[in-house]
Amino acid sequence: MARAVRIKDIAEALGLSTATVSRAISTPGRVAEPTRSLVQAKAAEMNYRPNVQARSLRTQKSMSIIMAVRDIGNPFYLEVFKGAEAAAHDANYTVLMGNTENNPSREAEYFEMLRDGNADGMILMTGSIPDGWKGPNGSVVVALEMIEDGGFSQVVIDNAAAAQKAVDHLVAQGHRRIAHIAGPEGEGMSARRKAGFVAAMAAHGLTLPPGYLQPGDFGVDSGREATRALLALDTPPTAIFAANDEMAFGVLHEAQHQGLRIPDDLSVIGMDDIHLSRAVFPPLTTISQPRQDIGRHAMEMLLSQLGGTDDPQETLLPTTLIERATVARPRNEGTQP
Amino acid sequence: MARAVRIKDIAEALGLSTATVSRAISTPGRVAEPTRSLVQAKAAEMNYRPNVQARSLRTQKSMSIIMAVRDIGNPFYLEVFKGAEAAAHDANYTVLMGNTENNPSREAEYFEMLRDGNADGMILMTGSIPDGWKGPNGSVVVALEMIEDGGFSQVVIDNAAAAQKAVDHLVAQGHRRIAHIAGPEGEGMSARRKAGFVAAMAAHGLTLPPGYLQPGDFGVDSGREATRALLALDTPPTAIFAANDEMAFGVLHEAQHQGLRIPDDLSVIGMDDIHLSRAVFPPLTTISQPRQDIGRHAMEMLLSQLGGTDDPQETLLPTTLIERATVARPRNEGTQP
DNA sequence: TTGTAAGCGTTATCAT
DNA sequence: ATGATAACGCTTACAA
C-alpha cells in the first residue's frame, strides 16, 4: 500500500512551507496567485486527499451530520438520506445514518456523539429525544416525525392534508362509505392522518359508523386483519384508506382472498408510494411523499443553523395523489350506511 | 455544549500521567491492578469517550470498513449490512456503506479511501474492480457478486443450486413446460442462475423450446414483458422461474392482467424473498438467501485477513425454498411441448 | 504574502 | 509499572 500523500510531501516537492500549502488548499483566498495554482496543480498531480481525521482533530469540527432513524432497513429513509446527502455534499459534509431500532439507549448514543463533537449536527427522524437533553437545539433538525415543544426546527409533510386528498378523491368517485386503517396508536404521524381523515369525512357531511376506524401497526398483517373486520360488518365500506402502503397491501390481499375484485368491489388508497406499490396487482393508488425533498430541506435548514443562529423554523411539505388502479366508482353508489 | 472529557482530564483527576491512563483504557494488560480499575472507574464516572479521530490519527488505523454496493436504496443490501455490522461491532469496527450507483469513478473513490487509510478494509458487492487495482488483496473481501481471477476471498450464495431447487420443486409438482426469465446479461449472478436452470432442466430430461429463456433486467417491467412474450407462445409454459422477486411480481401482474389465475393457470417461483413477497397476492413462492449471513461471513473473513495473512478463501452459502401460494400442479400435466 | 511553530487527543518509544 | 515526550497530519496565531 503506497503511503498516502501529505501536505508535507507537496510542500517539499514545491519548496514551500506546509502552512502555505494548507492555505492554498483550504483557504485559497489567503495566498497569492502564482503560488495558489501551483500548489493546486501539484496536489492534483500527486493525487492528494486531505486526511479528514487530522483536519477535524485540529479544527474541532467533524464535518459530519448524523441522520438518526428508527429502522435503517426501511427503504423510505434511504430516499430521505439521498436528499440529505446531496445537500450535504455541496457543503463538504458527510452524512452517516444512525440506527436506533426504537432503543432509547442507542438513541442517547447518537446524542452523545453530538455533544462530544463526533458529529456537528443531527437530523432526527425517530420522533423522540432522550430525557434531559438540553443541548444547543440549533444543531438538531427534526424531520418526518414531529416533536412538540422542543424548540427544534422541523420538516414534516402535511399528513392531515394528505388524508383529505384521499377522502376527496374517493368522494369524487361517488364513495360515501369510507373506512380508515390507522397506524400505531400514539404516534403523531398516525394521529395526524387519522385526524385528517375524520375531519375530511365530516367536511363532506359523511358519517363514520362504528368499526369504520380500524387500528393497525403499519404492517401487512394488520392491514389484513382490519380488512377482515371491515368486511364482516353489516354494511361494509366501499372504500378503504390505509395509513400506509404496506397495510394497503394487506387490504388487497385479504379482499382478493375473499374473492372480491379490486377495484370493482372495493376501492383502496394507500399512503407513501413505496417502490412496490406499482408492482402489486392491481397497481395501488396512493399518496406520495416528497422523500428526497424532506432530506434536502432538513439538511439545508440544519446547515444554515450551523452557520448563524436562525430561529427555529417549520416547513410543511405537500404530498401528491398518485392515481393507479385500485379506485373505481362504487357498485351501489349513494347508499348511506 | 460541555466540552468532551479527555484522557488528560482523567489523568489530572487521578494524579497519573496520560500515558498510564491511555494504557489502562486500551491495553489494560500493561498496567498494574489497583491503578487499572481506578482509571476505568474514573473514566466511566466522568463519562469518558475516546476521540476516535485522534486515536486513528495516531495509530494509523481507521477502524472502519467500507461496504461498497451498487445501490444503497436496495433493501437487500441493508440486511447484508446488518449482518456485517453485527460482526464488526464486536471487533470495535465501524461499517460505512458506499454507494457506487454503477459509476466507476465513485467506485474508484472508495478504493482510494482504502489506499489512503481512510478505511482499513472493504467488502465489495459491486461485481467489479477499478482498472489497474493491485493493492493488497487481503484488505478486500468480495461478496454476493463474484470477481474472477482477482485473488480475493469471496462469499457468495450457490446460485446454480438455487435454480436447481426451483426446477426440482416445479418438476415434483408435475410441471414439464418451465420457462426462465433471466437477469441482466453479462452479470455473473444472472449467468449462474440461468446456467443452473438450464442444467437442472437437462438433468430432468426436459427440453427447452425456443423462447423459454427470456431476457430481463431484474425490474418489474421486464418481468411483465417477458410474461407477455411467454404467454403468446404456441405452447406457453405452465410454470415460470424468475431470476428475482421483482420480475416475478411482473409475472403475477401480467398474468392476472390477462385473466389467468395463479397458481391454477400458471405457477411462479421468484428468487430473493424480499420483504413484500409475502404481501403480494397470491403470496410468492420464492428462494430465500441468507442475507445477514452473507454480511456476517464476509466481515468475519475480512477481519481475520486484516489480522494475519490468510490465503484467499471461498465460501458458498446455501439457499432455501420458501413455499407460499404461487405453485400448484399444472392443469394438463405431462404434455411435453 | 509566506514561514515558524504550537497544538488538537491519542498512543508508542524510551527512560526511569 | 509508570512517566516524559515525541509523533500522527493538519490548521492557525504570530512573526517576518
Side-chain angles (χ1 to χ4, degrees), chain B:
Chain B
M1 179 164 74
R3 224 169 133 310
V5 177
R6 301 154 305 171
I7 277 191
K8 193 178 174 196
D9 300 320
I10 303 177
E12 281 170 4
L14 254 31
L16 290 168
S17 76
T18 60
T20 305
V21 174
S22 171
R23 278 189 287 254
I25 288 165
S26 25
T27 48
R30 316 186 82 76
V31 66
E33 177 38 57
T35 323
R36 180 192 349 171
S37 41
L38 198 68
V39 170
Q40 291 178 341
K42 197 72 185 176
E45 177 201 327
M46 297 178 75
N47 199 15
Y48 168 75
R49 314 254 314 174
N51 180 321
V52 291
Q53 333 238 36
R55 178 178 283 177
S56 73
L57 177 60
R58 177 62 238 234
T59 60
Q60 301 288 68
K61 308 192 84 275
S62 66
M63 297 307 279
S64 73
I65 306 285
I66 297 178
M67 185 174 129
V69 302
R70 276 177 202 282
D71 171 21
I72 199 182
N74 187 335
F76 187 100
Y77 292 125
L78 291 171
E79 290 288 324
V80 181
F81 177 84
K82 280 189 187 177
E85 217 206 9
H89 189 265
D90 299 338
N92 270 314
Y93 275 85
T94 297
V95 189
L96 36 91
M97 228 160 140
N99 197 14
T100 69
E101 315 216 318
N102 292 325
N103 181 339
S105 83
R106 296 195 62 163
E107 202 168 284
E109 225 174 89
Y110 294 115
F111 274 87
E112 268 179 29
M113 287 181 65
L114 238 198
R115 186 173 41 71
D116 295 352
N118 291 352
D120 298 337
M122 167 148 83
I123 294 178
L124 186 63
M125 320 219 303
T126 63
S128 66
I129 47 170
D131 288 344
W133 165 260
K134 44 180 189 324
N137 289 358
S139 56
V140 177
V141 165
V142 170
L144 209 58
E145 316 230 19
M146 301 185 67
I147 291 181
E148 316 282 0
D149 311 323
F152 300 106
S153 281
Q154 318 224 20
V155 179
V156 291
I157 62 155
D158 195 337
N159 285 291
Q164 171 145 15
K165 276 182 190 173
V167 172
D168 287 353
H169 182 64
L170 257 8
V171 168
Q173 297 293 311
H175 290 274
R176 305 183 66 76
R177 305 209 309 267
I178 307 173
H180 177 60
I181 306 177
E185 200 73 39
E187 272 185 27
M189 193 165 60
S190 309
R192 270 182 191 72
R193 290 177 190 180
K194 186 156 113 182
F197 169 79
V198 171
M201 289 294 281
H204 284 288
L206 297 174
T207 62
L208 222 42
Y212 267 42
L213 233 34
Q214 287 286 326
D217 63 8
F218 280 160
V220 175
D221 288 330
S222 75
R224 239 186 300 248
E225 281 160 31
T227 307
R228 220 158 9 230
L230 251 10
L231 295 180
L233 255 26
D234 286 340
T235 42
T238 61
I240 298 177
F241 167 48
N244 79 342
D245 281 354
E246 298 213 8
M247 294 197 296
F249 293 158
V251 177
L252 295 186
H253 192 140
E254 180 63 25
Q256 291 181 95
H257 183 71
Q258 294 196 18
L260 294 188
R261 294 178 51 209
I262 309 254
D264 304 301
D265 300 325
L266 182 69
S267 288
V268 183
I269 296 186
M271 173 145 189
D272 284 354
D273 190 27
I274 67 177
H275 179 56
L276 286 167
S277 298
R278 48 185 288 281
V280 293
F281 186 81
L284 183 69
T285 293
T286 185
I287 289 176
S288 164
Q289 304 188 33
R291 292 183 270 260
Q292 300 214 9
D293 282 353
I294 294 170
R296 199 166 45 72
H297 263 90
M299 184 58 73
E300 281 168 1
M301 238 174 194
L302 182 57
L303 258 24
S304 108
Q305 284 187 8
L306 253 32
T309 29
D310 299 359
D311 288 334
Q313 302 197 335
E314 251 181 63
T315 308
L316 210 56
L317 263 21
T319 56
T320 321
L321 178 80
I322 311 281
E323 288 189 54
R324 286 203 271 255
T326 52
V327 172
R329 302 191 71 78
R331 290 297 219 14
N332 46 351
E333 30 186 307
T335 317
Q336 260 288 46

Side-chain angles (χ1 to χ4, degrees), chain A residues 144-148 154 156-164 180 187-199 241 314 316:
Chain A
L144 210 57
E145 315 231 19
M146 301 185 68
I147 292 181
E148 316 282 359
Q154 319 224 18
V156 291
I157 62 156
D158 195 337
N159 285 291
Q164 171 144 16
H180 177 59
E187 272 186 27
M189 194 165 58
S190 308
R192 270 182 191 73
R193 290 176 189 181
K194 186 157 116 182
F197 170 79
V198 171
F241 167 50
E314 251 180 63
L316 211 56

Side-chain angles (χ1 to χ4, degrees), chain A:
Chain A
M1 180 164 76
R3 224 169 132 312
V5 6
R6 302 154 304 170
I7 275 190
K8 194 177 173 198
D9 300 320
I10 302 178
E12 281 170 3
L14 254 31
L16 291 168
S17 76
T18 60
T20 305
V21 174
S22 169
R23 280 189 286 253
I25 287 163
S26 25
T27 49
R30 313 186 84 75
V31 66
E33 177 39 55
T35 324
R36 180 191 347 169
S37 41
L38 197 68
V39 171
Q40 291 177 340
K42 197 73 184 175
E45 177 201 327
M46 297 178 74
N47 199 13
Y48 168 75
R49 313 254 317 173
N51 180 321
V52 291
Q53 334 238 37
R55 178 180 282 175
S56 73
L57 179 59
R58 175 62 232 237
T59 60
Q60 300 288 71
K61 309 191 84 273
S62 67
M63 297 306 280
S64 74
I65 306 286
I66 296 177
M67 187 175 129
V69 302
R70 277 178 202 283
D71 171 21
I72 200 182
N74 186 335
F76 187 100
Y77 292 124
L78 291 172
E79 290 288 323
V80 181
F81 177 83
K82 280 188 186 176
E85 218 206 9
H89 189 264
D90 300 338
N92 270 314
Y93 276 85
T94 297
V95 189
L96 38 90
M97 230 161 141
N99 197 13
T100 69
E101 313 214 318
N102 291 324
N103 181 339
S105 83
R106 295 196 62 162
E107 202 168 285
E109 226 174 88
Y110 294 116
F111 273 88
E112 267 179 30
M113 286 182 66
L114 238 199
R115 185 172 41 70
D116 294 351
N118 291 352
D120 298 336
M122 167 148 81
I123 294 177
L124 187 64
M125 320 220 303
T126 62
S128 65
I129 47 169
D131 289 344
W133 165 261
K134 44 182 189 323
N137 289 358
S139 57
V140 178
V141 165
V142 170
L144 210 57
E145 315 231 19
M146 301 185 68
I147 292 181
E148 316 282 359
D149 311 323
F152 300 106
S153 282
Q154 319 224 18
V155 179
V156 291
I157 62 156
D158 195 337
N159 285 291
Q164 171 144 16
K165 276 183 189 171
V167 173
D168 287 353
H169 182 63
L170 258 8
V171 169
Q173 297 292 312
H175 290 274
R176 305 182 65 74
R177 305 209 309 267
I178 306 172
H180 177 59
I181 306 177
E185 201 72 39
E187 272 186 27
M189 194 165 58
S190 308
R192 270 182 191 73
R193 290 176 189 181
K194 186 157 116 182
F197 170 79
V198 171
M201 290 294 281
H204 283 289
L206 297 174
T207 62
L208 222 43
Y212 267 41
L213 233 34
Q214 287 286 326
D217 63 8
F218 280 160
V220 175
D221 289 331
S222 75
R224 240 187 299 248
E225 282 161 30
T227 306
R228 218 155 14 226
L230 250 10
L231 295 179
L233 255 26
D234 286 340
T235 42
T238 61
I240 298 178
F241 167 50
N244 80 341
D245 282 354
E246 298 214 6
M247 294 197 297
F249 293 157
V251 176
L252 296 186
H253 193 140
E254 180 63 25
Q256 291 181 97
H257 183 71
Q258 294 197 16
L260 295 188
R261 294 178 51 210
I262 308 260
D264 305 300
D265 300 325
L266 182 69
S267 287
V268 182
I269 295 186
M271 174 147 189
D272 284 353
D273 189 28
I274 68 178
H275 179 56
L276 285 167
S277 298
R278 49 184 288 281
V280 294
F281 186 80
L284 183 69
T285 293
T286 185
I287 290 175
S288 163
Q289 304 189 33
R291 294 183 268 259
Q292 301 214 7
D293 282 354
I294 294 171
R296 199 167 44 73
H297 263 89
M299 184 58 74
E300 282 168 0
M301 238 174 192
L302 181 58
L303 258 24
S304 109
Q305 284 186 8
L306 253 31
T309 29
D310 300 358
D311 288 334
Q313 302 196 336
E314 251 180 63
T315 308
L316 211 56
L317 263 19
T319 56
T320 321
L321 178 80
I322 311 282
E323 288 190 53
R324 287 202 269 254
T326 53
V327 172
R329 302 192 70 79
R331 290 297 218 15
N332 47 351
E333 28 187 310
T335 316
Q336 260 288 46

